[in-house]
Amino acid sequence: MTTLEGRTGTAVVVIDMQRDVVAQAVDRDGVIARIAGLVARARTAGVPVVWVQDTLDGAQGSDGWRLVDALVPGEDEAVVAKEHGDAFEGTELEDVLAGLAAGRLVVCGAQTDACVRSTLHGAFVRGYDVTLVEDAHTTADLTSYGAPPPAQVIAHTNLYWRYQTGPGRVAEVVAADQVVLAGG
């Protein structure tokens, strides 16, 4: 139901699964495994995968900036560098997705309470249908900054996104192994 005319395809968007970003993330290995499985399914189904990498305050090229070993972009898959929480802000992401005719995004990655949340909302207000993969996003423990415990952050994000609404758009929360991937 996307409001983006002629954009009937789906794309999987993997956000900031970089070594330093997820070094202290909750259920890190489980989330990585579920994302890897989702990416493999998307590739088999011919659904494009788009990778987003935070510039980490100029750390590009460092070991910590690299994606985790289990998640490697394919040669034909776009990698979008970003400086802001919302992966659409100041990047080529919209152009990449338009080129793929993607009107539905399947979003996973890190961190739940920062870049994942910002990108979910950024996509939705731009007219995309947005599926949050409920067991394939994570965050670190930021309780020392006043945040709730990570498990609560993840659960709350899944809860509120499940009830997100907007005219002509769909927001949903689906487990990684239940995500329906339809080629565009």
Side-chain angles (χ1 to χ4, degrees), residues 63-133:
D63 189 57
W65 173 80
R66 288 178 174 69
L67 295 171
V68 296
D69 291 341
L71 301 175
V72 179
E75 288 183 28
D76 60 340
E77 295 171 346
V79 179
V80 176
K82 71 172 180 59
E83 295 179 11
H84 307 286
D86 180 349
F88 288 92
E89 291 294 332
T91 72
E92 63 186 0
L93 181 58
E94 172 54 30
D95 292 337
V96 167
L97 295 169
L100 298 170
R104 174 181 174 241
L105 305 183
V106 175
V107 177
C108 55
Q111 293 206 62
T112 299
D113 42 353
C115 300
V116 170
R117 178 191 52 79
S118 296
T119 302
L120 289 172
H121 289 277
F124 199 71
V125 300
R126 286 172 174 85
Y128 290 89
D129 292 335
V130 185
T131 300
L132 173 61
V133 186

Side-chain angles (χ1 to χ4, degrees), residues 25-39:
V26 171
D27 190 26
R28 175 190 181 278
D29 295 341
V31 168
I32 290 169
R34 287 184 288 278
I35 291 173
L38 181 63
V39 166

